[in-house]
Amino acid sequence: MDEAAQEIVTKEYYHIGVAVDTEAGLIVPVIRDVDKKDLLALSKELEELAKKARERKVSGEELRGGTFTISNQGGIGGAHFTRRS
């Protein structure tokens, strides 16, 4: 939803942001075109991006363009939360 333009924006791609816990806090790298990859490819890419995020070597481009974000607040005791992009 683009509130400024008062229109619904539809995407033709699926890019998933995954929150990675790091010493500096959560960093959310984006896995692109998830609908075109199999589970093994997604697993490998997630592992690589999470490692880069923890080492603070993730690029700005790898942090942009997510259409959906996955996070787990259970590890810090959270049961309910919302996030607005």
Side-chain angles (χ1 to χ4, degrees), residues 29-55:
V30 176
I31 302 173
R32 300 185 185 293
D33 300 312
V34 297
D35 56 316
K36 298 174 183 167
K37 298 174 182 172
D38 63 28
L39 194 55
L40 183 59
L42 291 171
S43 175
K44 288 179 181 179
E45 189 167 346
L46 174 58
E47 184 177 2
E48 291 168 9
L49 280 172
K51 181 180 180 194
K52 286 175 72 174
R54 288 187 188 104
E55 294 173 349

Side-chain angles (χ1 to χ4, degrees), residues 16-73:
I16 305 294
V18 181
V20 177
D21 187 23
T22 74
E23 290 181 5
L26 290 179
I27 296 178
V28 185
V30 176
I31 302 173
R32 300 185 185 293
D33 300 312
V34 297
D35 56 316
K36 298 174 183 167
K37 298 174 182 172
D38 63 28
L39 194 55
L40 183 59
L42 291 171
S43 175
K44 288 179 181 179
E45 189 167 346
L46 174 58
E47 184 177 2
E48 291 168 9
L49 280 172
K51 181 180 180 194
K52 286 175 72 174
R54 288 187 188 104
E55 294 173 349
R56 310 274 315 257
K57 294 182 179 177
V58 68
S59 72
E61 183 59 31
E62 292 169 314
L63 299 173
R64 289 199 258 310
T67 53
F68 188 84
T69 300
I70 299 172
S71 186
N72 177 2
Q73 302 297 317

